[in-house]
Amino acid sequence: MSKQLLEIKDLSVNVEDKEILKGINLKINQGEVHVIMGPNGGGKTTTANAIFNNPIYTKQGGSIHFFGEDITNLKTDEIARKGIFMSFQLPEEIPGISVANFLRYSKSKMTGEPVKMVDFQITLMKYARELKMNPKNLQRSLNVGFSGGEKKKNEILQMLVLNPKLAILDETDSGLDVDAIKTVSKGIEMFKNDENAVLIITHNTKILRSLKVDFVHILIDGKIVKTGDASLAKKIEEEGYEKYKAEVEES
């Protein structure tokens, strides 16, 4: 029987003095793929950052539990060590630290154990090949001089190597061409199993076409206004968000 990984309950979040999230609720179980969709400015990225307790996003109420433990106010690095991973819409560049060294250090921090070099290199090269990454990029400074597609593939590589319990992918498909989206989707499929879960945050459906999605949540004006199965994403692709925006304005 699958176990609940994440529960967000009545979460309200401000950025400076502006209310962004207005009491959202969300439950994610092991083995599930969830998608949060919605127009720009609705609160999708805020949701991801609130889970990680980014200090820019101030919680006004509600709670976040991970495997039953209250992580609402834990520090970001502590949350990561619990087994939550987040890929960023605009990945950071870190000069002087190679992709390989960054991942080896991060893996050691997550597990609390030394990383065996030979096993690590085998795993790293295996995933890099699967993602069609240039192996020379593994020795380059993290994301420095990388194209947009290379940065996004590098995020997926990090997810595979670190192997978290919950992967949050924030606009991972943004700016990617069709082939790159297929590669990213393949990486997500490689990662997913019955013991972990994926939360994909996006405003379009391209990345979803090759994935088995369990739940789609429509987030508009800080509220989840509709939840459904994968067919809801297809409906949004065909009809847009106007219907749901109108319902929010009327409520």
Side-chain angles (χ1 to χ4, degrees), residues 5 52 66-67 79-87 107 110-111 155-169 191-193 195-198:
L5 264 71
F52 260 87
F66 187 62
F67 280 117
I79 293 170
R81 284 197 293 270
K82 296 290 182 184
I84 301 179
F85 169 87
M86 179 176 170
S87 76
K107 185 72 172 178
M110 281 194 68
T111 62
E155 294 280 284
I156 298 300
L157 176 68
Q158 292 173 37
M159 177 187 71
L160 290 169
V161 171
L162 297 178
N163 193 28
K165 291 297 183 184
L166 174 64
I168 303 170
L169 308 179
F191 166 75
K192 186 184 169 299
N193 59 47
E195 295 184 355
N196 61 27
V198 181

Side-chain angles (χ1 to χ4, degrees), residues 71-236:
I71 65 168
T72 310
N73 297 311
L74 288 184
K75 294 179 180 179
T76 300
D77 62 326
E78 294 174 329
I79 293 170
R81 284 197 293 270
K82 296 290 182 184
I84 301 179
F85 169 87
M86 179 176 170
S87 76
F88 296 92
Q89 185 175 355
L90 299 171
E92 290 286 336
E93 297 183 2
I94 306 179
I97 300 177
S98 71
V99 172
N101 285 340
F102 173 81
L103 281 172
R104 186 158 55 92
Y105 175 80
S106 299
K107 185 72 172 178
S108 176
K109 282 293 184 181
M110 281 194 68
T111 62
E113 300 175 355
V115 174
K116 295 181 180 179
M117 180 62 74
V118 174
D119 292 342
F120 173 78
Q121 289 291 346
I122 291 172
T123 299
L124 187 61
M125 292 303 298
K126 171 191 171 185
Y127 289 139
R129 284 194 297 270
E130 292 284 358
L131 296 174
K132 299 177 182 179
M133 294 179 66
N134 184 340
K136 292 181 179 179
N137 285 352
L138 301 177
Q139 304 307 320
R140 290 172 59 185
S141 291
L142 183 66
N143 290 325
V144 176
F146 285 23
S147 68
E150 288 171 336
K151 288 181 178 180
K152 298 302 178 69
K153 286 183 181 181
N154 193 33
E155 294 280 284
I156 298 300
L157 176 68
Q158 292 173 37
M159 177 187 71
L160 290 169
V161 171
L162 297 178
N163 193 28
K165 291 297 183 184
L166 174 64
I168 303 170
L169 308 179
D170 183 17
E171 303 282 5
T172 303
D173 53 340
S174 177
L176 298 184
D177 61 28
V178 173
D179 290 336
I181 287 175
K182 287 181 179 179
T183 300
V184 167
S185 296
K186 178 181 178 182
I188 296 171
E189 286 289 355
M190 289 166 58
F191 166 75
K192 186 184 169 299
N193 59 47
D194 291 337
E195 295 184 355
N196 61 27
V198 181
L199 175 60
I200 299 171
I201 295 171
T202 186
H203 64 272
N204 62 56
T205 61
K206 291 180 182 178
I207 196 172
L208 309 180
R209 294 172 186 169
S210 303
L211 298 173
K212 180 184 179 298
V213 173
D214 297 292
F215 297 97
V216 175
H217 312 277
I218 306 302
L219 182 61
I220 295 177
D221 192 27
K223 299 176 182 178
I224 293 178
V225 299
K226 181 75 173 179
T227 294
D229 58 19
S231 64
L232 179 57
K234 185 176 181 181
K235 188 174 181 181
I236 291 296

Side-chain angles (χ1 to χ4, degrees), residues 58-74:
T58 307
K59 297 183 178 76
Q60 300 298 311
S63 62
I64 303 172
H65 286 77
F66 187 62
F67 280 117
E69 179 184 356
D70 189 343
I71 65 168
T72 310
N73 297 311
L74 288 184

